[in-house]
């Protein structure tokens, strides 16, 4: 516990908050991944045949799923940050060195990580839909690397294999706009490439 939550020059409150936010973002990412993967589940069960016989297009199905996934990711982060911050401030009272804005910024700092998981799911959906469930495995792997990395004393290069490791640990560290925008752009590219594959590939029937 001391290795995980105590760092020189940083309050225990800030250190603990950054660790808990990492956990929450991992949990928040599950639903967006599930929403994207659900499209292939419905496809493989032949539930989309009747829809495709109407004016509903593949593009509408794809972008609706992506839109829902992004919306749920955003809402999940907002609710998690607000509930964590509200509880912490109510418990700590005047002893708290943080306000609700600190919790919100620290949480939304990891929004591109959620978008990255959505992008991976979209990429799988478009080109190798049967591999969509592997995104859950990567999510679990990334969570373990980030949560126990301090205890295991892993090399930095190995830790960087988890997407969350690229982001500064707010509120302990400052916001990094370059990393935020870079991961966001990569995630958007994954979604676009996934759409290109989904639009062209044969529908799975099995």
């Amino acid at each position: 516990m001391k290795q995980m939550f105590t760092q020189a020059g940083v309050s225990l409150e800030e250190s603990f908050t950054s660790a808990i936010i990492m956990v929450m973002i991992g949990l928040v990412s599950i639903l967006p991944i599930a929403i994207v993967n659900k499209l292939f589940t419905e496809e493989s069960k032949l539930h989309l045949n009747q829809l495709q016989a109407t004016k509903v297009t593949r593009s509408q199905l794809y972008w609706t799923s992506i839109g829902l996934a992004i919306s749920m990711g955003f809402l999940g982060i907002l609710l998690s940050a607000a509930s964590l911050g509200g509880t912490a401030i109510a418990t700590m009272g005047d002893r708290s060195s943080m306000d609700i804005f600190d919790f919100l910024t620290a949480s939304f700092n990891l929004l591109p990580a959620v978008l990255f998981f959505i992008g991976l799911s979209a990429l799988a959906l478009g080109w190798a839909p049967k591999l969509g469930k592997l995104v859950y495995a990567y999510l679990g792997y990334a969570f373990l690397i980030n949560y126990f990395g301090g205890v295991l004393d892993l090399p930095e290069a190995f830790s960087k294999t988890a997407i969350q490791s690229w982001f500064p640990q707010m509120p302990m560290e400052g916001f990094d706009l370059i990393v935020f925008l870079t991961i966001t752009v990569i995630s958007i590219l994954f979604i676009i490439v996934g759409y290109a594959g989904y639009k062209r590939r044969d529908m799975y029937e099995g």
Side-chain angles (χ1 to χ4, degrees):
M1 293 292 285
K2 184 176 180 179
Q3 285 180 272
M4 292 173 67
F5 299 126
T6 303
Q7 299 189 35
V10 178
S11 70
L12 180 60
E13 181 185 9
E14 292 179 340
S15 180
F16 183 75
T17 297
S18 67
I20 294 302
I21 286 176
M22 190 70 67
V23 174
M24 293 193 312
I25 295 302
L27 295 174
V28 165
S29 301
I30 295 174
L31 181 56
I33 295 172
I35 290 173
V36 178
N37 285 347
K38 182 68 174 176
L39 188 56
F40 176 65
T41 300
E42 296 302 310
E43 174 187 334
S44 61
K45 291 181 178 179
L46 307 181
H47 292 168
L48 300 182
N49 287 355
Q50 292 182 342
L51 281 175
Q52 291 176 339
T54 66
K55 294 182 179 180
V56 177
T57 65
R58 283 197 191 187
S59 296
Q60 289 174 316
L61 290 172
Y62 182 87
W63 291 113
T64 297
S65 296
I66 295 298
L68 283 172
I70 294 175
S71 298
M72 290 301 101
F74 188 92
L75 183 61
I77 293 176
L78 178 62
L79 293 176
S80 299
S83 59
L84 175 65
T87 302
I89 293 172
T91 303
M92 296 285 290
D94 295 337
R95 295 173 295 170
S96 177
S97 60
M98 300 171 59
D99 55 31
I100 192 65
F101 182 76
D102 293 321
F103 288 93
L104 289 172
T105 52
S107 297
F108 278 100
N109 171 57
L110 291 173
L111 174 61
V114 179
L115 297 178
F116 185 82
F117 288 114
I118 295 174
L120 284 181
S121 300
L123 200 60
L125 175 66
W127 296 95
K130 290 185 178 180
L131 300 181
K133 292 184 178 180
L134 290 181
V135 181
Y136 291 114
Y138 177 66
L139 173 62
Y141 166 81
F143 169 78
L144 292 175
I145 292 296
N146 282 276
Y147 196 68
F148 296 107
V151 177
L152 300 176
D153 196 22
L154 298 173
E156 183 177 356
F158 186 77
S159 297
K160 291 296 185 181
T161 57
I163 186 63
Q164 296 96 324
S165 297
W166 290 89
F167 297 90
Q169 293 182 309
M170 295 181 69
M172 295 189 300
E173 301 171 353
F175 178 71
D176 191 328
L177 180 61
I178 299 300
V179 171
F180 187 93
L181 293 178
T182 300
I183 302 299
T184 299
V185 170
I186 291 173
S187 303
I188 293 173
L189 288 176
F190 280 175
I191 292 172
I192 294 173
V193 173
Y195 170 68
Y198 183 73
K199 190 176 181 180
R200 295 178 182 180
R201 72 169 173 82
D202 294 331
M203 300 302 286
Y204 180 78
E205 298 181 359

